[in-house]
């Protein structure tokens, strides 16, 4: 597709369950980001992948959160033992490094997670 | 550390009137500035960016933004607002050696008919 694709678009899960969120970046984009958007917290950086380099995981809020990127393309964000405070929109984004910090980052529609 | 401030949580304007959404930033070195818009239940959509050059940047849907280095501001403007411009607007900044975008808290724009 033309844009960043995320699935599922909506997920309701019970507290304590694990969830996986998937992101398919724009074709050819080597940089991939995960952000979280929650009420009162704004947009929080979670993790960044760039090519074959080690990811920047500095934004992951706890060890219940992990992410991987296979083959330099699709990424999966996993939340283990979900808590109610994990309820948020998880946004994936991608960009193609070229001009450096001026590169535009393009976002997907988000995965809306509700933990009940 | 880099940061963005959007001093107004909400902006309300009448359709046809000018719209301004304020943004100030803090970053080491030259800033790279972005505006995004989020419509209800949607992801973030890129509007425009400032990298270098002309201080007035034109973007999508008739929006423009003015970079002011001395005031460390990057205000978003539209000469004549439409009801369809009602949305949540985010300003973001990156520094020269950064790959992460730092976002402001967002400003909700409501344009009344």
């Amino acid at each position: 597709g033309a844009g960043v694709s995320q699935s599922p678009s909506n997920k309701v899960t019970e507290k304590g369950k694990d969830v996986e969120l998937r992101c398919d970046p724009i074709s050819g984009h080597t940089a991939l980001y995960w952000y979280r958007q929650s009420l009162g917290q704004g947009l929080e950086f979670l993790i960044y992948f760039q090519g074959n380099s080690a990811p920047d995981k500095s934004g992951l809020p706890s060890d219940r959160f992990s992410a991987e990127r296979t083959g330099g393309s699709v990424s999966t964000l996993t939340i283990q033992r979900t808590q109610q405070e994990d309820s948020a929109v998880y946004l994936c984004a991608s960009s193609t490094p070229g001009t450096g910090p001026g590169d535009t980052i393009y976002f997907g529609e988000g995965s809306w997670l509700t933990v009940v | 550390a880099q940061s963005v401030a959007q001093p107004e949580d909400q902006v309300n304007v009448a359709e046809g009137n000018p719209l301004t959404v304020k943004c100030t930033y803090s970053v080491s070195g030259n800033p790279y500035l972005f505006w995004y818009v989020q419509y209800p239940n949607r992801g973030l959509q890129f509007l425009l960016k400032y990298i270098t050059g002309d201080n007035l940047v034109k973007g999508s849907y008739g929006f423009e933004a003015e970079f002011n280095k001395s005031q460390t501001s990057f205000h978003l403007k539209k000469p004549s607002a439409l009801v369809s411009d009602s949305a949540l607007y985010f300003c973001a900044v990156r520094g020269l050696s950064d790959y992460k975008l730092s976002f402001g808290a967002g400003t909700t724009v409501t344009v009344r008919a």
Side-chain angles (χ1 to χ4, degrees):
Chain A
V4 177
S5 179
Q6 292 188 245
S7 62
S9 54
N10 282 286
K11 176 74 176 179
V12 179
T13 189
E14 292 182 351
K15 178 181 172 181
K17 300 284 189 184
D18 298 351
V19 296
E20 286 189 350
L21 308 176
R22 175 189 166 104
C23 173
D24 200 345
I26 294 171
S27 178
H29 281 193
T30 57
L32 187 147
Y33 303 76
W34 283 98
Y35 278 80
R36 179 169 72 173
Q37 183 179 20
S38 50
L39 281 174
Q41 296 294 324
L43 282 156
E44 301 172 80
F45 166 79
L46 297 178
I47 189 168
Y48 166 74
F49 296 91
Q50 170 48 38
N52 295 321
S53 302
D56 176 355
K57 304 179 181 181
S58 61
L60 295 178
S62 77
D63 59 9
R64 296 186 296 105
F65 288 73
S66 63
E68 63 177 19
R69 189 178 185 191
T70 53
S73 182
V74 171
S75 176
T76 302
L77 177 68
T78 301
I79 309 173
Q80 295 179 310
R81 305 181 302 282
T82 52
Q83 304 295 312
Q84 288 185 329
E85 61 263 28
D86 299 334
S87 296
V89 182
Y90 290 84
L91 293 162
C92 180
S94 70
S95 71
T96 180
T99 58
D103 292 333
T104 299
I105 298 178
Y106 296 94
F107 285 80
E109 293 291 304
S111 289
W112 299 66
L113 176 66
T114 303
V115 182
V116 297
Chain B
Q2 57 200 36
S3 64
V4 171
Q6 293 181 242
E8 300 159 317
D9 292 335
Q10 293 198 358
V11 170
N12 299 304
V13 298
E15 189 172 35
N17 281 2
L19 169 64
T20 299
V21 186
K22 296 179 180 177
C23 170
T24 58
Y25 66 89
S26 174
V27 70
S28 297
N30 292 328
Y32 297 80
L33 295 155
F34 301 79
W35 276 101
Y36 287 84
V37 61
Q38 186 176 35
Y39 297 101
N41 301 316
R42 303 294 299 277
L44 270 65
Q45 189 171 331
F46 170 72
L47 275 179
L48 52 78
K49 65 182 178 184
Y50 171 82
I51 300 176
T52 187
D54 195 345
N55 289 343
L56 185 64
V57 179
K58 294 188 182 297
S60 307
Y61 311 120
F63 283 94
E64 57 189 29
E66 187 168 10
F67 170 65
N68 187 315
K69 187 172 184 178
S70 63
Q71 297 185 3
T72 61
S73 67
F74 189 55
H75 301 330
L76 181 70
K77 300 180 181 183
K78 187 170 184 181
S80 178
L82 300 173
V83 172
S84 57
D85 294 328
S86 298
L88 180 58
Y89 290 79
F90 290 97
C91 182
V93 70
R94 254 180 176 155
L96 179 60
S97 58
D98 296 318
Y99 46 81
K100 291 181 280 189
L101 276 177
S102 295
F103 286 88
T107 298
T108 299
V109 170
T110 302
V111 182
R112 60 185 185 277

